[in-house]
Amino acid sequence: MFTARAKVCGLIGNPIEHSLSPLMQGIFSSEMNVDSIYVPLPVKKDLENAIKGAYLLGFKGLNVTIPYKKEVINYLIDIDESAKKIGAVNTLVRVNGGFKGYNTDILGLEKSLKNADISIKNKKVIIFGAGGAAKSVLHLCVNLGAESIILVNRDILKAKKLITELENKNVDLKAFSLEEFKLQLKNILPYNDYIAFQATSVGMYPNVDECIIEDNEFYEKCLAGVDIIYTPSKTRFMEMFLNKKVINGLDMLLYQGAFAWELWNEVKLDNEVIEKVRDMLKERVKDRKS
Ligand code: ATR
């Protein structure tokens, strides 16, 4: 329930019909007894005017998703330092004269690693992918003090570009094409203690039989695996780790939303409410067919 005084927030992107954010944000507000409302706002074109319009309409905050996480930066009045470094924004907070941009995706991923007791400090990291998601993973791993990072992507040029763009070079960074990585696995991975991040769309519903790398030897060389996909809840990539520690992207989704809600409402969410929303998300994605 909400009143005429409600804080109004929303989700901008295209397409957004399958987003779980409106449900999640709705539960946060009702469980916390906060007078706010969160609405889906499909924006097919002219992001600039959509953002201006949202400001004029009094929106307190917005989430921004595919395909606008980069473009939206052009229409902000201010940007959080870490979001600026990453070059991607998923949360907007109303300030005087416009919106300030944040990246709560990276905060959500950090929190989900912490919850799973996966530490990155001084660890050897492998990241599959070089898109927006991989970029967030890369920045987080650098920030968390990874010892070395191997970036693997089908298109090697995209992986190299990500590395070149990175400001902090205080970490041993290498890029390989997926093809070369598979062929040269033994030479590229001399150790047995890597943390592997799967940040491509390979294995996501409906292509649940796909896996970025099939070779058992790869998984034997890893300590733990993180897949940013959450449908299905256990990807083939995750299954390949057998009994080792693995997590999916559900907590990242949950906590990016929780951090956004806290920014808009300036209230900390109760843990029980977060648990409740996690259960709802699990239930929703369990048999998800879209
Ligand atoms: P996101 O913002 O979710 O990261 P994206 O920017 O479109 O989405 O990036 C998708 C990633 O998945 C890319 O790394 C892409 O590899 P390329 O850069 O080589 O295109 C990767 N990807 C998608 N389909 C793939 C496939 N079938 N095999 C290997 N990698 C794939």
Side-chain angles (χ1 to χ4, degrees), residues 128 152-154 176-189 202 211-215 217-219:
F128 292 99
V152 184
N153 197 44
R154 186 173 55 179
F176 294 96
S177 72
L178 184 57
E179 201 182 1
E180 189 189 0
F181 184 77
K182 286 177 179 171
L183 285 172
Q184 299 285 335
L185 195 69
K186 276 200 179 67
N187 296 330
I188 296 172
L189 305 181
V202 178
C211 183
I212 195 80
I213 182 161
E214 302 280 353
D215 192 342
E217 208 180 340
F218 168 75
Y219 297 92

Side-chain angles (χ1 to χ4, degrees), residues 136-193:
S136 290
V137 175
L138 175 66
H139 278 261
L140 180 64
C141 290
V142 170
N143 292 348
L144 293 177
E147 174 193 298
S148 64
I149 301 176
I150 295 173
L151 207 56
V152 184
N153 197 44
R154 186 173 55 179
D155 177 354
I156 177 70
L157 293 179
K158 272 167 78 179
K160 285 193 169 155
K161 188 162 174 269
L162 273 199
I163 288 188
T164 319
E165 282 169 6
L166 207 71
E167 279 174 27
N168 181 341
K169 295 280 188 327
N170 251 346
V171 48
D172 173 18
L173 279 164
K174 289 194 181 75
F176 294 96
S177 72
L178 184 57
E179 201 182 1
E180 189 189 0
F181 184 77
K182 286 177 179 171
L183 285 172
Q184 299 285 335
L185 195 69
K186 276 200 179 67
N187 296 330
I188 296 172
L189 305 181
Y191 305 105
N192 290 303
D193 54 354

Side-chain angles (χ1 to χ4, degrees), residues 51 55 59 75-78 93-100:
I51 300 287
Y55 184 76
F59 273 71
Y75 313 126
L76 300 174
I77 199 162
D78 193 8
V93 178
R94 185 187 193 87
V95 291
N96 223 342
F99 289 103
K100 177 172 179 178

Side-chain angles (χ1 to χ4, degrees), residues 94-275:
R94 185 187 193 87
V95 291
N96 223 342
F99 289 103
K100 177 172 179 178
Y102 294 83
N103 187 311
T104 68
D105 286 334
I106 198 165
L107 297 174
L109 180 59
E110 181 175 3
K111 178 80 176 163
S112 77
L113 293 176
K114 206 168 165 197
N115 276 1
D117 214 7
I118 296 176
S119 163
I120 300 301
K121 190 153 182 64
N122 300 326
K123 294 283 176 19
K124 303 174 188 75
V125 169
I126 301 165
I127 303 170
F128 292 99
K135 192 171 179 180
S136 290
V137 175
L138 175 66
H139 278 261
L140 180 64
C141 290
V142 170
N143 292 348
L144 293 177
E147 174 193 298
S148 64
I149 301 176
I150 295 173
L151 207 56
V152 184
N153 197 44
R154 186 173 55 179
D155 177 354
I156 177 70
L157 293 179
K158 272 167 78 179
K160 285 193 169 155
K161 188 162 174 269
L162 273 199
I163 288 188
T164 319
E165 282 169 6
L166 207 71
E167 279 174 27
N168 181 341
K169 295 280 188 327
N170 251 346
V171 48
D172 173 18
L173 279 164
K174 289 194 181 75
F176 294 96
S177 72
L178 184 57
E179 201 182 1
E180 189 189 0
F181 184 77
K182 286 177 179 171
L183 285 172
Q184 299 285 335
L185 195 69
K186 276 200 179 67
N187 296 330
I188 296 172
L189 305 181
Y191 305 105
N192 290 303
D193 54 354
Y194 299 92
I195 311 275
F197 288 84
Q198 203 301 110
T200 76
S201 47
V202 178
M204 192 190 293
Y205 182 86
N207 304 313
V208 296
D209 294 329
E210 290 179 0
C211 183
I212 195 80
I213 182 161
E214 302 280 353
D215 192 342
N216 280 317
E217 208 180 340
F218 168 75
Y219 297 92
E220 283 159 17
K221 288 179 169 291
C222 293
L223 289 176
V226 179
D227 201 325
I228 57 136
I229 290 172
Y230 54 86
T231 43
S233 57
K234 192 151 194 187
T235 58
R236 285 247 358 258
F237 176 79
M238 289 165 68
E239 279 170 0
M240 296 289 279
F241 284 88
L242 303 175
N243 293 323
K244 293 182 183 173
K245 193 179 276 183
V246 284
I247 57 170
N248 65 17
L250 192 104
D251 265 13
M252 181 179 174
L253 170 75
L254 169 69
Y255 285 105
Q256 63 76 28
F259 284 123
W261 190 92
E262 290 180 347
L263 280 170
W264 298 325
N265 294 291
E266 296 162 84
V267 181
K268 263 208 117 16
L269 281 162
D270 293 344
N271 273 338
E272 305 85 82
V273 175
I274 293 186
E275 297 301 324

